[in-house]
Amino acid sequence: MTDPNAIQPSELDQLPDRDPEETAEWQASLDAVAKAAGPHRAAYLMRRTLERAEGAGIALPKLLETDYVNSIPTSAEPAVPGDEAMEQRITAWNRWNAAAMVTRGSKYGVGGHIATFASAAWLYETGFNHFFKGKEADGSGDQLYIQGHASPGIYARAFLDGRLSEQQLDNFRRESGGDGLPSYPHPRRLPWLWEFPTVSMGLGPLSAIYQARFNRYLTNRGIKDTSASHVWAFLGDGEMDEPESTAALALAAREELDNLTFVINCNLQRLDGPVRANFKIVQELEAQFRGAGWNVVKTLWGTAWDELFQLDTTGALVRRLRQVPDAQIQTYQTRDAAYIRQDFFGADPALAEMAKLLSDDKILECFHLSRGGHEARKVYAAYKAAVEHKGAPTVILAQTVKGHTLGEGFASKNANHQMKKLSVDEFKNMRDLLGLPIKDSDFVDGVVPYGHPGADSPEVRYLQERRAALGGPAPARRVHPVAPLPAPAEKAFASFDKGSGSQNVATTMAFVRLVKDLVRDKETGKRWVPIVPDEARTFGMESLFPSLGIYSPKGQTYEPVDRDQLMYYKEARNGQILNEGITEAGSMADFIAASTSYATHGETMIPFYIFYSMFGWQRTADQMWQLGDQLGRGFLVGATAGRTTLTGEGLQHADGHSPVIAATNPAALTYDPAFAYEVAAIVKEGLRRMYGEAAPGEDQDVFYYLTVYNEPLPQPAKPSVAGIDEGIVKGLYRFNTAESAGITPPANAPRIQLLGSGTAIHWALKAQRLLADEWGVAADVWSATSWSELRRDALEADEALLRGEERVPFVRQALQGAEGPVLAVSDYMRQVPDQIAQWVEQDWSSLGADGFGLSDTREAARRHFGVDAESIVVAALAQLARRGEVKAAAVKEAREKYGL
């Protein structure tokens, strides 16, 4: 493995050497020590020498930093293949159309970003022309994580390529008409173009790392050879402040993901000002990535700087570049040559002498225009170095000017992120700078025109020829035609129908047992991707370790401490389980990569990610939205669910609201099953809907969220009730009536309908018995497997009514004719069952665990929140008393009887 922290000789070539003979003597001494006493002694002496230099106040870069110069000097740059002049013209058209699209859209007030692509244009164009593999070649092509704010430039290139029309460009950020373009990379909104959503910021870099890792997982498991695929993540330097951006850097280095390249556009500006006003973001990122084990390539200065570096015989220029903070470099971009002469060169006598040799035009060219990220040859050299580097991922730190080519009103201005348009005069200046054949008369009524050289122009032919050579258009999303997965054997699901008898089984264990059976299926078993954030033993999954293995690209290089046990900790290169350690964010990134493999790689995978329910939606709900945007499919499983069920863990572990958050996500189908047979029925339906033969008009691009509990209880047999499977899937069915429960209520007894979800149905069943035995009330008990699916169906019925279609919501159909009021209860806040209240014709009331969680026994916690069986009884009597069906005194008597 190449040491990514090693400073390559080419880096030193950029620096002046006043005495090469002396340098050679020092190097020879080091070589001699290494040969005579070994490399460890040589390293020891180097560390001691560096410590001495630091103690003496000698200015040296930190050990994890190199000087503020290019990693690849001009003399070492490879020739750029192709026609550089042609690529320059293509880039000019794309710059123009990106700015024109946003400016034309500004009259509608929909916004847009101009300055980001202006700074990053060559970072993209060089990749599109020479590196990014398309989907039509062998393999899966490359995976491109495009910086969200650069989307206008990507649309502009697609327009030049004939993939988008002028009308579509004019509908940028105006999607409701059906022919618009989304603001950022949104696959759900533009699924043929965008593959990965990258806004919210920070999620792109995290997902890119786990995508590269998942590519290796597919290869090592023998699912698909992804060795030809490369993952490119385009990021902003300000975006790197998001904790998710750097959360998995060590993973990428540890697993030697040389199929991954980060390209960080270091224009030194975030949304409101400098990224590091008083510091240097490039140096900070270099140290961070080198420290994590990445290969770092810095592309900072353009060729105009070559003359300055050649004149720097004392090293003063390199020292000064290291000293100047980013905000001052930004200021130089906006000031005249006299200011730069005084402030930059005047700080050192040697630089002052150098400045005398430089014209004002030369100084302005260097400080206003010449950045490494703005030159194709610099970017090409960096990309080539990245793809050829082996043994570690690469980060390219490319310095640019935000708003480059947009004019003095934009370049490096603090407000340019919020500036949405150029004036006509600014466009004309831009036209002249880019050398585009656009006439003044083309600006009709002050509207900036789009520019296009023609479908058969040399520029378009060149662009298309380059993309054809690389495997087709990019970016692009392709859903490969794959056959639906065959349904697993019915036996795996039917085994839960008979119940558990006297054995206590938690629904968490029921789910794990179901998965153990499903992964044995000959047809689909290998497609399952179990994902767990270091809590497999908590969820009873350790039995899967020896049978499936835990994925590690290194295999198992040690003897596990529990090797003599049946369920020992087994890692394997072809392991199936992704056991990620304590990272919900990383586990979700795993899930997203696996859940979209059907499109990315044409390989359908079935991920399930099991986690503490409190730490899923609450902590990583942003990634769940990313998952929905990316059209992912799979099973999210919130284990140890409920506010009162997880004993002893306390406030931050007691989940009383994950179904509320999940209900806000249109792609999430949220279920709170009470019994093992319900879990089996929901998973069976999920497999059919997401991976099998979809019904006409059925959306397959959904994912399931199931809450499961760690409360072991007897699992009942599946009732022989007509329509029970439909009820389980749609969200509600009657589990029993008072009579079918063996209760003989008095003649004309008051009746109430008790709706319960998850573990709360057991409290409702106890309350059913108490109401009958002690208060003469008949209660029917219903299992509400999904409050949110009932609500979704009801909302659709309301929408149909607006279209003049009569449709009765399923919840109303199910409860039709049910006598008495309805009382709903769950182990969540009342807002969860209250989702359906407005569509229930009967009198409605609910109970819930609202507020912060607490540590105590289950019984005490349920009494605290007023959701236990006795509390249900009192609430039911109160509801009946309001209707005049029981005496009001019964409510007071019940409260006193049960000590409420």
Side-chain angles (χ1 to χ4, degrees):
M1 173 178 171
T2 304
D3 180 4
N5 292 328
I7 299 175
Q8 304 303 314
S10 59
E11 293 176 354
L12 301 177
D13 293 343
Q14 186 81 67
L15 307 180
D17 190 345
R18 290 183 295 174
D19 192 339
E21 184 177 347
E22 182 184 33
T23 302
E25 291 174 358
W26 277 76
Q27 292 171 335
S29 297
L30 183 64
D31 292 342
V33 171
K35 182 176 181 181
H40 295 293
R41 176 61 181 171
Y44 174 84
L45 292 175
M46 285 298 299
R47 284 197 299 270
R48 288 289 184 239
T49 302
L50 289 169
E51 290 169 2
R52 182 63 175 263
E54 184 176 356
I58 298 174
L60 284 173
K62 296 177 183 178
L63 288 177
L64 292 175
E65 296 178 13
T66 60
D67 276 305
Y68 203 66
V69 296
N70 294 350
S71 300
I72 304 170
T74 303
S75 59
E77 290 169 2
V80 180
D83 187 333
E84 290 190 57
M86 183 67 72
E87 292 174 16
Q88 185 83 38
R89 292 203 297 275
I90 291 170
T91 304
W93 285 116
N94 292 339
R95 286 182 182 279
W96 176 272
N97 287 323
M101 176 176 61
V102 176
T103 297
R104 286 165 69 119
S106 66
K107 66 181 179 180
Y108 300 106
V110 294
H113 302 287
I114 303 177
T116 295
F117 178 73
S119 68
W122 277 113
L123 303 181
Y124 291 105
E125 291 298 322
T126 303
F128 285 130
N129 287 325
H130 301 286
F131 291 94
F132 304 157
K133 294 184 286 293
K135 306 296 184 185
E136 297 170 6
D138 294 337
S140 304
D142 287 354
Q143 287 85 54
L144 308 180
Y145 288 78
I146 304 294
Q147 190 180 3
H149 292 144
S151 62
I154 309 305
Y155 290 140
R157 193 172 216 274
F159 169 65
L160 197 67
D161 193 13
R163 302 167 75 199
L164 291 175
S165 66
E166 280 196 23
Q167 180 181 347
Q168 287 173 297
L169 294 192
D170 267 346
N171 285 335
F172 174 58
R173 292 194 170 200
R174 296 192 299 138
E175 302 175 70
S176 60
D179 198 26
L181 301 179
S183 53
Y184 303 128
H186 292 308
R188 185 168 284 273
R189 293 301 186 203
L190 203 61
W192 60 268
L193 180 73
W194 297 121
E195 192 167 22
F196 305 105
T198 51
V199 178
S200 298
M201 285 189 285
L203 299 189
L206 178 69
S207 291
I209 289 173
Y210 280 89
Q211 181 66 56
R213 197 286 200 89
F214 187 74
N215 290 358
R216 291 281 170 84
Y217 171 88
L218 289 177
T219 299
N220 290 334
R221 285 199 55 215
I223 303 291
K224 182 172 185 177
D225 182 1
T226 64
S227 56
S229 292
H230 199 89
V231 178
W232 300 82
F234 289 84
L235 318 168
D237 46 0
E239 181 178 7
M240 300 311 294
D241 284 343
E242 291 283 3
E244 295 90 349
S245 295
T246 54
L249 297 186
L251 167 73
R254 185 170 66 244
E255 300 203 2
E256 302 179 4
L257 298 181
D258 49 24
N259 60 339
L260 170 68
T261 297
F262 276 16
V263 180
I264 303 182
N265 178 17
C266 297
N267 55 37
L268 313 185
Q269 288 183 252
R270 55 190 180 200
L271 308 188
D272 290 326
V275 179
R276 294 289 184 273
N278 295 297
F279 305 94
K280 302 187 81 62
I281 187 60
V282 168
Q283 300 299 89
E284 179 182 320
L285 290 174
E286 178 184 28
Q288 193 169 16
F289 278 86
R290 281 188 183 274
W294 286 53
N295 175 48
V296 179
V297 176
K298 294 198 292 192
T299 302
L300 307 181
W301 307 111
T303 52
W305 283 81
D306 288 349
E307 180 183 345
L308 275 66
F309 285 119
Q310 290 169 3
L311 293 173
D312 182 26
T313 59
T314 66
L317 177 61
V318 173
R319 287 195 301 272
R320 182 64 177 143
L321 289 174
R322 194 164 66 235
Q323 295 167 354
V324 177
D326 284 353
Q328 191 62 25
I329 289 180
Q330 182 184 346
T331 297
Y332 294 150
Q333 174 68 36
T334 65
R335 299 302 177 88
D336 59 20
Y339 177 88
I340 298 172
R341 284 182 186 279
Q342 178 181 349
D343 190 87
F344 181 83
F345 292 97
D348 186 293
L351 290 180
E353 289 300 312
M354 178 192 298
K356 294 178 182 177
L357 305 175
L358 303 174
S359 67
D360 285 355
D361 287 344
K362 181 66 177 180
I363 289 174
L364 293 179
E365 180 187 13
C366 288
F367 283 86
H368 284 194
L369 301 175
S370 187
R371 300 291 187 274
H374 294 323
E375 295 187 14
R377 62 182 298 179
K378 302 291 185 185
V379 177
Y380 181 87
Y383 286 9
K384 190 170 187 293
V387 297
E388 292 178 354
H389 186 83
K390 301 303 177 186
T394 294
V395 59
I396 295 169
L397 303 175
Q399 186 160 283
T400 66
V401 174
K402 194 167 186 177
H404 182 60
T405 73
L406 297 181
E408 294 181 0
F410 267 83
S412 283
K413 295 298 176 66
N414 279 339
N416 62 22
H417 187 79
Q418 303 302 324
M419 298 162 69
K420 312 301 182 186
K421 60 183 179 180
L422 277 69
S423 68
V424 169
D425 287 341
E426 287 172 325
F427 266 110
K428 289 178 179 179
N429 290 335
M430 181 182 178
R431 171 201 62 190
D432 297 341
L433 176 65
L434 298 176
L436 293 172
I438 296 173
K439 303 186 292 291
D440 286 355
S441 59
D442 292 333
F443 291 81
V444 179
D445 297 326
V447 176
V448 57
Y450 292 120
H452 199 292
D456 196 39
S457 64
E459 292 93 333
V460 173
R461 288 201 307 271
Y462 181 90
L463 182 156
Q464 294 175 341
E465 287 168 0
R466 292 305 310 142
R467 290 311 316 156
L470 288 165
R477 180 179 181 271
R478 297 284 187 269
V479 179
H480 304 266
V482 292
L485 293 183
E490 181 65 25
K491 181 181 178 182
F493 307 103
S495 64
F496 293 91
D497 291 352
K498 60 185 179 182
S500 65
S502 60
Q503 182 183 6
N504 289 335
V505 177
T507 51
T508 298
M509 295 310 303
F511 177 81
V512 172
R513 178 184 149 191
L514 175 62
V515 170
K516 285 177 65 177
D517 291 340
L518 293 174
V519 296
R520 295 191 186 104
D521 185 86
K522 292 182 180 180
E523 295 289 336
T524 61
K526 69 177 184 178
R527 300 284 172 181
W528 284 87
V529 183
I531 303 167
V532 59
D534 202 35
E535 289 282 4
R537 297 182 193 277
T538 300
F539 307 137
M541 292 175 59
E542 64 270 27
S543 61
L544 298 177
F545 290 171
S547 59
L548 300 183
I550 299 165
Y551 173 73
S552 170
K554 298 289 187 183
Q556 193 155 38
T557 61
Y558 60 92
E559 183 178 356
V561 67
D562 53 359
R563 182 63 182 86
D564 58 341
Q565 299 178 17
L566 180 63
M567 294 183 286
Y568 69 97
Y569 195 85
K570 177 186 175 183
E571 296 188 80
R573 196 166 185 264
N574 64 345
Q576 195 162 348
I577 301 169
L578 293 172
N579 192 350
E580 289 302 5
I582 305 174
T583 168
E584 285 83 6
S587 299
M588 266 306 302
D590 266 338
F591 186 89
I592 292 170
S595 71
T596 55
S597 183
Y598 72 92
T600 308
H601 293 295
E603 294 289 345
T604 301
M605 306 301 288
I606 311 171
F608 81 86
Y609 164 36
I610 187 168
F611 49 88
Y612 263 64
S613 66
M614 186 66 162
F615 304 136
W617 284 91
Q618 175 164 298
R619 177 167 288 188
T620 57
D622 198 9
Q623 288 177 285
M624 274 75 161
W625 276 90
Q626 179 189 10
L627 167 66
D629 191 348
Q630 202 166 318
L631 309 172
R633 305 167 184 173
F635 296 96
L636 297 175
V637 183
T640 60
R643 180 145 282 162
T644 71
T645 306
L646 182 59
T647 58
E649 296 285 357
L651 186 149
Q652 285 190 268
H653 284 64
D655 171 25
H657 55 278
S658 69
V660 177
I661 307 175
T664 65
N665 191 310
L669 278 58
T670 303
Y671 287 87
D672 186 24
F675 305 122
Y677 67 80
E678 293 177 354
V679 172
I682 293 164
V683 172
K684 179 182 177 182
E685 169 63 10
L687 289 172
R688 182 206 64 79
R689 177 167 180 176
M690 294 185 291
Y691 303 104
E693 292 283 357
E698 190 172 46
D699 184 6
Q700 283 191 286
D701 297 321
V702 296
F703 59 92
Y704 281 65
Y705 175 53
L706 281 72
T707 53
V708 292
Y709 299 82
N710 70 332
E711 186 170 15
L713 292 166
Q715 294 295 326
K718 187 176 182 179
S720 298
V721 178
I724 186 172
D725 289 330
E726 180 188 27
I728 291 172
V729 170
K730 289 193 172 182
L732 183 67
Y733 70 95
R734 184 155 50 192
F735 176 73
N736 69 17
T737 63
E739 291 77 10
S740 66
I743 298 169
T744 306
N748 301 318
R751 189 173 288 268
I752 190 168
Q753 308 299 318
L754 301 180
L755 277 58
S757 69
T759 199
I761 202 169
H762 296 284
W763 321 331
L765 289 168
K766 182 179 177 182
Q768 179 188 47
R769 182 67 59 177
L770 290 174
L771 283 165
D773 293 347
E774 300 180 8
W775 306 99
V777 172
D780 301 337
V781 176
W782 300 68
S783 179
T785 55
S786 179
W787 308 101
S788 62
E789 283 306 290
L790 292 172
R791 177 179 177 82
R792 192 195 304 265
D793 171 80
L795 289 171
E796 290 172 357
D798 286 355
E799 292 173 4
L801 188 63
L802 291 175
R803 298 191 299 267
E805 304 170 16
E806 288 291 338
R807 218 189 95 188
V808 179
F810 179 78
V811 63
R812 190 170 295 167
Q813 295 177 43
L815 290 171
Q816 188 174 12
E819 298 178 35
V822 170
L823 173 60
V825 62
S826 76
D827 204 9
Y828 298 94
M829 56 196 301
R830 289 175 60 179
Q831 188 175 341
V832 174
D834 283 350
Q835 292 178 82
I836 66 170
Q838 73 184 80
W839 293 281
V840 173
E841 294 180 315
Q842 293 87 345
D843 290 343
W844 172 273
S845 66
S846 63
L847 298 174
D850 289 75
F852 288 113
L854 78 166
S855 299
D856 213 315
T857 64
R858 291 182 179 124
E859 293 75 16
R862 287 162 186 169
R863 176 56 57 91
H864 170 82
F865 287 108
V867 293
D868 60 352
E870 292 78 7
S871 298
I872 294 173
V873 169
V874 173
L877 292 174
Q879 202 172 6
L880 291 168
R882 286 193 294 271
R883 294 164 57 94
E885 297 180 18
V886 301
K887 294 180 180 179
V891 181
K892 182 174 184 295
E893 182 183 348
R895 281 200 299 267
E896 293 173 351
K897 178 182 177 67
Y898 300 131
L900 295 178

